[in-house]
Each structure stands twice: as C-alpha cells, then as structure tokens.
Amino acid sequence: MELVDELDLAPINREVMLNFTPDKKWQIICTRQKEQGYNSARCLPDYFLDRVSAMALLLYPLEEHEVKARIELVNALRTALRTQPISFVLRFLQLGGLSCLLYFLTNMDYDTAQSSIHTSFIGCLKALMNTSQGRGYVLSHPDCINVIAHSLNTENVRTKIAVLEILGGMCLVPGGHQQVLDAMYHQRSGHERTRFQRLVYDLERTSDNYKEDVNMKTAVMSFFNAVISYGPGQDHLEFRMHLRFELIMLGILPVLENLRSLENCTLDRHLTFFEIMRLKDEKELASRFETVHIDMESAASIVEALESKLAFTQSYPHFLSILQHALLLPLTSTAWQLLDQLSQQLPLETDDRSIHDYDLGLPNIHTSVHHLEDSEDANGGTSERLQYLEKMNSDLSKQLSEIQQQLRESTFGKESLCQSLDLVNTVLDRETTEHMATMQKHAELCEVVKQLSIEKSASLGKLTALSAEDSVVPSPAAPAAPPPPPPPPPPGPPVPPPPQPPAGAKLSTPSAKSTVSHVPDVLLPSPKRNLPMPTTPLKSFNWSKLPETCVQGTIWTEMNEEKVYNNLNLAEFEKTFSAYQRHDVSSSEDFRRHTLKKTKELSIIDGRRSQNCTILLSKLKMSNAQVVAAIIDMDRDDQISKDLCEQMLKFVPIPEETAMLEEHSQAVTSMARADGFLFEMSRIVHYEERLKALCYKKKFSERVADLRPKLDAVRQASKEVYRSKRLRRLLEIVLAFGNYMNQGQRGNAIGFKLDSLNKIVDTKSSVDKNVTLLHYLVETIERTFSDVLHVTDDLQHVKIAAKASMADLDKELCSLQVSLNDIEKELDFHQSRSQTDTHDKFVLVISAFLKEASNSLTDLEERLSRSKQWFERACKKFGEDSKKIQPEEFFGIFDTFLTAAYDAKSDNDKVKLRKVEDERRTKIEEEHRKKKDEARQRLQQQKSEEGSKHTTKPGDECFNGTDASNLSQQGDFDQLISVLWNGEVFGAEMIQMTQRRRKKSSTGMAALKASCLSLSGNTDRERPADNVGV
C-alpha cells in the first residue's frame, strides 16, 4: 500500500495494481527500491535546489558548454520530478522548490529568456503539476500562474508552446480558469490593447519552419478554445461571447481563414471547433433578438438588431441617448476605449458571481480615466524614446563623418610617407652601389694580406733552418732585426695578426733551446704550438678554457691537435662558420636584403639568453645609448619602470661574455641587438651594483608601504583582542557550555586553548545532524546576549593581521637593511674615485635617497618592536606562548571562528524563514482543502438533485468517455494537456455539431469532398473530410 500511495495513481490504475499477482507485486517493489537507491545518491531535492539557486544569480553564459551544462541540470530536475516517487516531489516542494523555480523565471536576463534554459524550467513546472500535490502548490501560490504567463513575452517558440499548454490545461482544472485570465491580464505590455493581442499576432505571423509554425498555432488555438469553453463559459453564453468578441476586435477571423492553408489535421480540428462554437453561440444570441443571424462584424446589423429588440421599451431612449452621445465623442482612442471597457463589464454584472473577469470588475470612472491617462503617458514615453534614438542617430552620423575625415587625413599622410620611403630607397640604392665597390676593394686587400702571410711563413722557415746550422752564438748586443711588419689591414672587420717570429735570425747557438733562453720574455709567443690562423674572422665557440696550471697530469697533455689540421678542409670550415657570410650579389635590391640580414649574424652570447634579452629590449623601447644615459643619470626621469629594471638584473654581462665581447669590440655595429646591449652595459663602471641600487630605490617605497600596514594591523589587532569585553564575554559563554558538556577529567576547566574555538562546529546535534554546537551557541547569544553579536566591531583588524607573518616581516625588514648597507658601500666607492663624467649622478641621487631610506627603516624597526610587544601581551593574556605561535595562526583562529559564526547565523535565519514559509503554506493548503471539500460537497449535492438527468456540456467528455475534471483530479495533467492539444477534449461537442451539419449537407457537396480527398497526395497534411465544409 505504501508503494501505491507513493505512485499517486488514479483510482482505476490503483485498483488494477492492487489486483496484481504476489510475484508481480514483489518484482515491482524490488525494481522500485533499486531505482530509489540509485537515485537517492545522485538526485536529491537539496542538490537541485542549491544548483538552481546558484544559477539564478548568474548571467547567461558565453561558452556553449556552460549553456549545455545548465540545460542538462534543469532537464535532470524535470526528469526527477516525473519519475521519482511522490516523496521526492513533496520534499522538493517543502524545501521551497516552487519558489526557487519562480525566482529564476522572474529574475533571469534577456538572453536566458530567449534560450532553451527557459524552456527547460517551464518543463519543470509542467512536470511538477503532473501530481495533485504539485498542482495544489501551484494553485495556492499567489504569483505562480502570473510568472508562467509572463514567459509568453519570449521569442522562443518552444517556450511559448510549453506555456500555452500549461495555461490551457489549467483552464480545465477546478479553480485554475480564473487564475489564467488574471495572469493573461498581468502579462500584457502597456502598448497592447487587450491581453490576447500578442497571441493573435503569433497566429498571424509565419516563419520558414513549417513544423514550429503549426505547433505554435495549434497551441494558441487550443488555448483559446479552452479559455472560451471552460470555466464560466461552460454555462454562460455571455461569458463565451464576451471573450470571443475580444478576439474578434483583434481581427482573428481573417487570420483563422488563412490558417486553413497549412492543411494540418490537428490545427484544423481546433479551427473547426472554434468556428462551430462561434456559429452556435451567435445563433443562440440571435434567437434572443428573434432573428436568424446577426453579422457581428457589421455595425449596421448590430444596431438594427438592438433597435428592433428595444423598440417600444423603456430602454430605447437610453439606447438612443448612448448613440447620440457617441456622436459627440472625440475621435481619440481614449474615450472610445473607456466606453469599450464599460460595455464589456456590464454584461458580466449579474447575480451569479461565477461570471467574473479580473480586469472587468466595475471600477470608478475616475480610476479608469487615470488608468487610461497613464497608458497615454506610457505611449508618450515611447515617443520620447523615439526622439532620443533619433538624436543618437544624428550624433553617430556626426561621429562617422569625423572618422571619415580622419581616415582621409590618414590616407594623405600615408601617401606622404610612401613618397618619403621612395626617396629613402633611392638614396639607399646609391649608397649600396658605393658599398659594393668598397667590398670589392676589401676582398682584393684580403687577398694581398693572405699572399703576404704565405710569404712571411716561408721566410720564417728559412730563418729557422739558418739558425739551426749556425753554431756561433752572436753577441747579445747585435741581435738580428726582426722582419718588417705586415702592411696595415684594410678598413672593415679586423684580421688577427700572424704569430710572432723567433727573436732573431741567423743565430749561431748550440741548440734552439739555449737560443730561446736568452730571448727576452716580451718576445715569447703566446701559443705553445704552431696553429694555423683563419683568413677571416670566425664565430666563437663558447667553451670554458682550462688554465695552464690545471693541465699538468691530465689527458690534455697527451694530445697534439696540429696533426689533425692536415686532414681538415679549413677553407670549407671558414666558409661554414665565418662571422661574415658572403653571397654573390646580383642586384642592388638583393644586396640590400643581404646587408640588412647580415647585421644580425654576429651573435656571441648564448642563443636563448640573447632571445630573452631581445624581448626585454623590445619592452624598454629605448636605444642602447638612451639606456646607458638613464643608468648613468640614475633614471631621474623615470624612463625605466621598476619591473623592467628588475628584469635587467637578469641580463648583467658575466665575465666570460665581457671578455668575448671585448674581442669583437671593433665590430659593434655588426653585433646582434642583445650583444650590442651587453657590450654597452659592460663598459659602465660597476654596472651591476649601480643597477641594483637603482632597483632598490625604485621599489623601496612600495616595499615600505607593504610592510607598514601589516605591522600596524598586528599591533592594532593585538590591542583589540586584549581590550575587547565582548570577546571576553563570548569566551565565558563557550567555557560555560564546555564545562557543562564535559565531565570527568575533561570538565571543570578554568580555561581552554584558543584553537578549541574552531572545534565547536564538530559537535553536532543528536536531533538534527545539520545543527551544530556553533548554531546553538549563536542562537543563544542572539537570544540572550545580543550585545556579544557585535564582537566583530571590536576586532576590525583581526582579518588583516591573520595574513601577516612575523617571520616574513623580520626577513623583509632585514633584507631592506642589508641592501641599504650595500648601497652605502657602493656610494663610498663612487665618492673615492675621481669623477670624470659630468653626467654621472649616482653620488647626488643616492646620497639624498639614503637619508630618506634610513629614516623610513628606523620607523619600521620601531613599529616592528611595538607590534612584537603588543603581540606578546595579547598571547600572554590568552595563555598562549608568543614564541610558539605566529600572528597568522593566533589571529587566524579568531578570524575563522567569527566567519563560521556569521555563516551559522545565516543558517539560523534561513531556518526561521523556512519555518515561517512552511506555516504560511500549511495555512493556505488548509484553506484550499476546505474550499475544495465544500466544492465537492456542493457538486455531490447537485448530482443527487439531478438524479438520472444527464446533460452534455461543451468539453465535458473526451472522445473516449473520460471526463476532463476527472483527469485533473486524478493527477493526469500530461494526459489532460494531450487531449487538449489533440482537440479530443472537445470531441463530444464536435461530433454532435458535425452530425447536425452533415444532415443538412447536400449529396453534391459530399461528392465534391470525396473528389477533393482523392486528389490529395499528402495524407499527413490533409484535412479530415468532415472539416472541409466548415
């Protein structure tokens, strides 16, 4: 029985399920328990409520995957509301699920309203209404139907269809028809004449999507038929005609004729029912005026019927007066609209209070006039908006003209730059030709130098042979003169000189060894071996050279690379690794590209380091000369930011780089950008120390500004916790609870460690696991010790102090002092050397800075000392050891506890609000239940009075004999929407009316219908035969 109750089945299905065999019942129970075990772990109402509440605070996402994730979440909720047991739905409703869904629909942004997320939320409401409990919550909620109706303002067709299905179904539910009419009145915009104007417009407009068009128009027509035929319209002709006249005023009749062209059976069924009921009601109304037919779209026909009916009655003079005064009304819409509203209200003012329309209760005339004036003001606001947009359009046109003028000026400037560029290219071609001639001369001079080197080597060989054959040692006073020096090198890249010859020629010594021993040291050659020299400068090999003192006893003493050179193709090697690549220049343009690329070829430092240095220089946006000038001037103009200055410290030339750069000092113009920068920086005296001093100066104020508030926060927070009476009172309350709860050795405590404050939340209530000791503590303080709640006002600096580390503060202050001492030493160095550069402002700038920095550091040290003293006093006050606990830990305890207490207070407030909401909802449900019971009793009484009398009213029966009200009471809301969509809910009336029409139709017309159907090729889109003649 519990499972049957959870499934919320209709009485018929309930009886069928109870008659199942025991085996079948056991199988259903096992399957249901398995599903509940699976779903309970993954699909709890609390989970969906938290996610939907969080989603309501977010705007429409830009990423597509986020949109899909939200749609999947809402679809999962919709599926759960449909498939989970009734306990899931009840739990969802009790937790405020309906309010959560309505809050999202009310506060969603425009993009969300036009998306599928909106459609999914409407689907959740539809699934919720599929149960009697959910439908009861919807009907009892004061704004639920209004919010659903407001969703008609979207442009999303699927959302509109879902909303119309719900509203149409609610018209068939007891108590829902009036709420739907009220909601339609609330959802209309200020510029709409009536509440149905938007829907009539949706009927009229078309799109390229045939399926969406048909579905939308079917949903609108099913809604119109439900609104007109149910509620008061079931029994009262006046109400049906009142709503239908409202639609006729909007021009629905010609629109319905055009809808026949869509040739859809379901849509045609609704169109047929609307037309049948219209003709029937008009016939019944005409019978009251003792006539056969009244043309409702003809003013003359209506006046004629009224005149014939009212003639010779007391009402005729009033009728004539109304027409006469109508002649005097102004042609503005306001007066006629007021008269229209009054004429709509009067037919519904009867003794039967069941005939009622929200916006048609008889109002005070002045109130109606004010309302119409407000509507005119709203239209006036629209006119002001239009004028504002026109003004914006004019301003944008002016801005566009200005931009076009700037574009023309830029185009003219571009043409001027192109002319200048052509002139520069001409000059560059001329200089390129001259440079080619110079390079030719340079090549010839290189050949001469090579020839002289060969001749010199031959002369040295002869000289060595002569010295070995001569046995007479010449006098030291008469040494042979050295050979003449080689001719000077041509302009261009420097060529290393050949190795020096021996000290003398034709020396008569016993041995070469004794000869060399008498040669002065300045004449000894630097290399130990006779190595070949390259004829052109080569790229450098970045190795680390072993000192001669470290070579003895190693493998390097056993090597002789002179033999290797005989097997090497040195000419090819020089061509491959030459510092200056030569190419055949066929034209001036090719040579220009070649020379531009060649200037980047000479790179000495490491490739990755060079690349990073080039990136830094691109951020500097300064030439090397400007950087040197800024460093010498100590950047008094702030050309270098502190971040770039700190980055420059990573590219200080190391000694090896400085030595290699000095070797190529004559080729500075050919160096890569990074190499040239490092070369220029290496020429600055104490460049690294000077740059460090500059960085320290730039970042000093920022570092001091970062330290000062942290030191002050520690001192102020220490004072606050030391002096706060509210904090002391709070700890007393905690101590009282602790001693009351703890017994034995853990009880009777005089005090407790501060970290125990954050363990309060670990103690949970035995009644409700969601309630902790902290929740109860906060509730007790709020109820009894309300002043303690303001303890956060006493501890304003605790949160900042919780982020301060005394060790880090000491370390930072010590680092500032050490760096300042280094700068003082560097200042002494610059003061001791003679100042030859008048642009060097190091001494001037740093001297002034040191005075200011020294005062600032002294102030920081004093602040640090006072902070430590107050922190020690605070720790001692609470029984903590200041040497074992740091400020971030000490104050972090208070910060964490106060934050948790604030969250606990928020939880308590939510519980209170939920309790009040539950009580209010229970009261509303009780009142609704009483009204429902009274209505049921009245219905039973009416049935008993009628006895065996049975009358069929429009829409009372479905085609299969199921009563619409029975469907709504049994909880089959989806089935109710289905039969409404298909038109089957109007089946009895349609069958009755079509049978009457068929009896009056001629045989020829029937033959014409049959021939038309036989010629139709698409059976899916053809109309039923009985609908063709309507």
Side-chain angles (χ1 to χ4, degrees), residues 563-607:
K563 299 179 181 179
V564 180
Y565 292 117
N566 298 328
N567 299 324
L568 297 179
N569 188 349
L570 297 180
E572 182 183 1
F573 185 80
E574 290 182 6
K575 181 179 179 181
T576 304
F577 295 100
S578 174
Y580 304 96
Q581 294 293 334
R582 297 174 183 171
H583 301 281
D584 294 335
V585 183
S586 58
S587 64
S588 60
E589 184 66 25
D590 294 337
F591 183 78
R592 181 165 68 253
R593 292 198 301 266
H594 164 70
T595 53
L596 290 175
K597 188 188 335 186
K598 183 180 69 174
T599 57
K600 300 181 181 179
E601 290 292 331
L602 182 57
S603 180
I604 299 172
I605 64 176
D606 178 67

Side-chain angles (χ1 to χ4, degrees), residues 407-417:
L407 180 61
R408 286 193 292 268
E409 293 175 358
S410 301
T411 304
F412 178 78
K414 179 181 178 181
E415 294 175 355
S416 301
L417 290 175

